[in-house]
Amino acid sequence: MRVIRQLSTSRRLLQSLIQKQKYQATTYARPHDLILSRGKNAMLYDDVNNKEYIDFTAGIAVTALGHANPQVADIMCKQSQKLIHSSNLYYNEECLKLSENLVEATKSFGGQYDSSRVFLCNSGTEANEAALKFAKRYGILKNPSKQGIISFENSFHGRTIGALSVTSNPKYREPFGSLIPGVEFLNINDELTKLDQQIGSSKDKVAGLIVEPIQGEGGVFPIPLDTLIGLKKICEDNDVIVIYDEIQCGLGRSGKLWAHSYLPKEAHPDIFTTAKALGNGFPIAATITNEKVNSILKVGDHGTTYGGNPLGSAIGNYVVDVIADQKFLDQVVDKGSIITDRLRKLQKRFPEQIKDVRGKGLMIGCDFSEAPSKIVEAARDAGLLIITAGKTTVRFVPALTIENDLLEKGLDIFERAVEKVYN
């Protein structure tokens, strides 16, 4: 009788929560009967339905140090009792420390060698908005008509109007009509000579170029290092500011602190952006610049009310301290190898269905010959949460702290889901 009463109570609660979904804006497609209650590292729990899931999504590459991280919870508790917010009118200790941490860790771990200044904000799209504004400011001071932005096909940089303007997918752009003018989308796979000609012919009109070192939402495509090296040279020759969007691929996700840490310093950006993992779920982001960019900024050129708040900054300091450690980064590479090895073996079993396995570190794409929605659903039914990228790619972005045995167990479920769909 007790079990029956519990089931009845759970059903009533589920129906009540489903009813409340009518108050949500119609902007997401979500399974209506999956209601998450809590998490622990790479596990998520739906207590309403008494289900548990291995999580290969990490909140879309956000909870890099795991769900309900006890150290993050402790920091939030202690800092919230001291100071949560003080506005950008005053300095606070945690904000200053985080700015220093980001710059010094970047230099120490092979990132932007001339990194100098940090603008703290609240989300990836905000960080990219700041980067675009800084680049346009630089260009306009050189020449009033030099304010265009180069972006690339298959890119994703955010949903606000400025960031959306440099996001290539028409599905995201076209419903909103006229966006920011002067944006041109190039093909990142074109020969460098063609890209050189395209950028050079517009050098008097182009202020900045923005690119993801690993394209995320577009399907997990690592940009060849030679391409990024060549692009930086082209931009330097034409006095174009280079922005690397490391919102998803940064902070250890690629197996290095930054995805551009794989590059020699002559290919480092003038600006790069980070968010997602920086707060491990708490909203915080950063735009990091060199002095070339900072030198043209004046007080009042940009701002944000919540950016650099003590609570977010305290969490960011902890995240940077944990990830900026070579042993930690090495284990990210090792875990990534476990995934890619298993997926390539699976590809040999299903060569017609699995076209490619690509990525770096714990940002890996398994590309199918068709939309993998049935695989996502079959995996979820069996207790594994995975997400897609682009039209045909399953994206693997688990917590960087996922236990190896849990990783293997999740891959077992994924293999069975593929077998179920294709056998």
Side-chain angles (χ1 to χ4, degrees), residues 74-134:
D74 186 54
I75 290 166
M76 292 180 75
C77 178
K78 289 178 178 176
Q79 185 61 46
S80 67
Q81 294 175 58
K82 293 195 294 184
L83 187 64
I84 293 176
H85 173 75
S86 58
S87 85
N88 53 33
L89 299 174
Y90 316 103
Y91 290 118
N92 70 75
E93 184 180 352
E94 294 295 339
C95 168
L96 293 172
K97 191 197 301 186
L98 179 57
S99 299
E100 179 185 21
N101 267 353
L102 282 167
V103 169
E104 296 304 322
T106 293
K107 291 178 177 179
S108 297
F109 284 83
Q112 186 186 37
Y113 76 97
D114 58 352
S115 59
S116 174
R117 306 295 181 116
V118 177
F119 176 82
L120 291 170
C121 48
N122 311 288
S123 69
T125 193
E126 276 190 65
N128 284 338
E129 289 279 346
L132 295 169
K133 284 182 70 175
F134 295 171

Side-chain angles (χ1 to χ4, degrees), residues 20 24 46 70 91 98 106 140 168 236 262 323 348 375 379:
K20 289 178 172 58
Q24 292 270 293
D46 175 355
Y91 290 118
L98 179 57
T106 293
I140 289 169
S168 67
E236 277 200 334
Y262 285 95
I323 295 177
K348 289 179 180 179
I375 294 169

